[in-house]
Amino acid sequence: MRRALEEGRKGLGLTAPNPAVGCVIVNSRGHVIGKGYHAKAGGDHAEIAALKTVTDSADLKGSTVYVTLEPCAAEGKTPSCAHTLAALPIQRVVFGCQDPNPAMAGGQKVLVDAGIQCDQWGPLKRECLELAEVFICNQSAKRSFVHVKVGASLDGQIALKSGESQWITSESSREQVQVLRGQSDAVLVGRGTFEQDNPRLNSRSDQFINKTNIAVIIDPKGGVISQLSESRLLEVRPSEKVFVIVHEGFLGESENCKILRCPEVQGQLDLKVAMQALLAEGVHSVLVEGGGTTISQFFNQGLVDRLTVFMAPKIIGAAGGQSWTKGLSIDGLENAICLPEMKMTQLGSNFCLSSGMFTDTWLKGD
Ligand SMILES: NC(=O)c1ccc[n+]([C@@H]2O[C@H](COP(=O)([O-])OP(=O)(O)OC[C@H]3O[C@@H](n4cnc5c(N)ncnc54)[C@H](OP(=O)(O)O)[C@@H]3O)[C@@H](O)[C@H]2O)c1
Ligand SMILES: [Zn+2]
C-alpha cells in the first residue's frame, strides 16, 4: 500500500475534479508485476493504468491488487474499475479508503459478488484519505480545499516590519514550495503581500510545466485591480486566470481579472463563501501563501484544511518581525488551536512540518 501511495502522489494537482489514486499489482509469488496512478481527469484510473503495465497477463492469476481508494463501481468518463477487475482471474483486492462519492462507491460489493476477496486495509487509511483530501473536501464541504503554506524563522516570523521577507528559508525549501504551488489549482495572497512583493505565484517546478495556475488576491476595496496591468502576475498567466476577491458592495469591472464578490462576516470577508465561489469557478484547491493577516483570517474562520510550515534555523525577533499569526489571539491556553499529527521532513538546514486538519476532522466524523 505504501508503494501504491507513492504512485498516487505522482498525480497530485493534476487529477481534479478526480482524486489522486495509486495502485500496485502483486503476483501470487509476491512480486510487483504492475503499478500505475490516475494522471488526469478523463484518463485511465489507477487500476487500469497499473493493469496496462503488466507484461504477462498469465501473471494476473492469483494476484493481489493494492489500491489507495475503493475501485469505482459506476461508469464515469471511463469504464468501472470494479467491473474490469471482476472479469480478471485476480484473487484479492485491497483498498486503503472508501470512495466518499455515493455515485462511485460500491466497488467492494461488485468484486465480492464476482468471487474476489475484497477488503479495506486500515493501517494506512489516513495516508490514503490524505492523498484524496482535495476531492473529499470538494465533495463533502462543497468548497475549495485550503492549504496554508508558511516560510518562517525558528521564532515564527515571516518578514521584517519593513516588509523585507526575501529570503528567510533555504533554496531547497523554496523548490518544495514550487511543487506545492503546482499541486494546487490556485495560489492566494492578501493585498499586503501583493503590494509589497509583486509576486508571480506560478509554479516553476518541471512537473507542472504544462499547468497554468490561477492567482487570487483578497482585497475588499479592490484597490489592487488598477495595479494589475503593471504586475508580474500577468507576465505568467492570462487575465482570466487572475481572480480578485472583493467586498460585495464593490462596483468596478476590469479586463485584467475576474472579480468575485463576497459578503462580510464579523467585519471581514466571509472566506467560506469565497472558497465556495472558487470551487464554482473550477478551483479545487488553494495554496494560501500569506501574509500574516490573511493566514490569521483563514484560521479565525476555521478554514485551514492543511498547514505546511517551512522553518529556517534563524531567529528574527518578534519586536522587529511580522508573525504569520499576527491577526490571531486566543483567550486561555485551553483554546489553543491543536493540530493533528505533523509530518516532518528535513530539507538541508530547514525543516518542513505538515499537518492535515481536514482528514482529521473527516475521520472523527467517520
Ligand atoms: N515568508 C513568507 O512565507 C511570506 C509569505 C507571504 C507574505 N509575506 C510577507 O508578509 C507581509 C504582508 O503581510 P500582511 O499581513 O501585511 O498582508 P496580507 O495578509 O498579505 O494582506 C492583508 C490584507 O488582505 C486583505 N484581507 C485578507 N483577508 C481578508 C478578509 N478575510 N477580509 C477582508 N480583507 C482581507 C485586507 O485588506 P485591506 O487592508 O484592504 O482591508 C488585509 O489588510 C509582506 O511583508 C510579505 O513580504 C511573507
Ligand atoms: Zn475507477
Side-chain angles (χ1 to χ4, degrees), residues 45 47 72 81:
H45 287 189
E47 300 91 319
C72 60
C81 294

Side-chain angles (χ1 to χ4, degrees), residues 149 151 158-159 163 165 190-193 196-197 218-221 268-269 271 289-294 297 301 322 326:
K149 165 254 142 182
I158 61 168
S165 69
R191 175 188 61 79
T193 299
Q196 175 71 35
D197 297 348
I218 305 189
D219 179 23
K221 299 183 206 73
Q268 296 290 333
L269 293 189
L271 296 173
E289 291 208 13
T293 308
T294 301
Q297 275 302 316
Q301 297 189 28
Q322 296 190 42
K326 67 179 176 185

Side-chain angles (χ1 to χ4, degrees), residues 1-6 8-9 12 19-23 66-70 94-100 120-136 306 343 359 362-363:
M1 193 60 86
R2 259 185 220 293
R3 302 262 310 252
L5 280 163
E6 274 168 33
R9 289 191 187 108
L12 280 173
V21 185
C23 178
Y66 293 90
V67 59
T68 57
L69 186 71
E70 180 184 7
V94 182
F95 59 92
C97 65
Q98 267 165 335
D99 197 321
Q120 182 174 356
W121 190 64
L124 290 174
K125 179 179 173 186
R126 187 190 174 101
E127 280 79 355
C128 291
L129 283 168
E130 288 188 350
L131 183 64
E133 63 190 2
V134 170
F135 171 76
I136 299 173
R306 173 168 290 281
K343 291 236 162 54
T359 300
W362 171 260
L363 278 171

Side-chain angles (χ1 to χ4, degrees), residues 188-191 216-223 243-250 259-275 293-294 296-303:
L188 179 150
V189 293
R191 175 188 61 79
V216 185
I217 310 167
I218 305 189
D219 179 23
K221 299 183 206 73
F243 293 5
V244 181
I245 298 175
V246 296
H247 190 272
E248 60 187 351
F250 180 80
I259 296 172
L260 298 179
R261 291 177 172 77
C262 190
E264 259 182 33
V265 59
Q266 292 173 343
Q268 296 290 333
L269 293 189
D270 188 333
L271 296 173
K272 186 169 169 193
V273 173
M275 294 306 109
T293 308
T294 301
S296 299
Q297 275 302 316
F298 276 91
F299 273 102
N300 277 330
Q301 297 189 28
L303 278 170

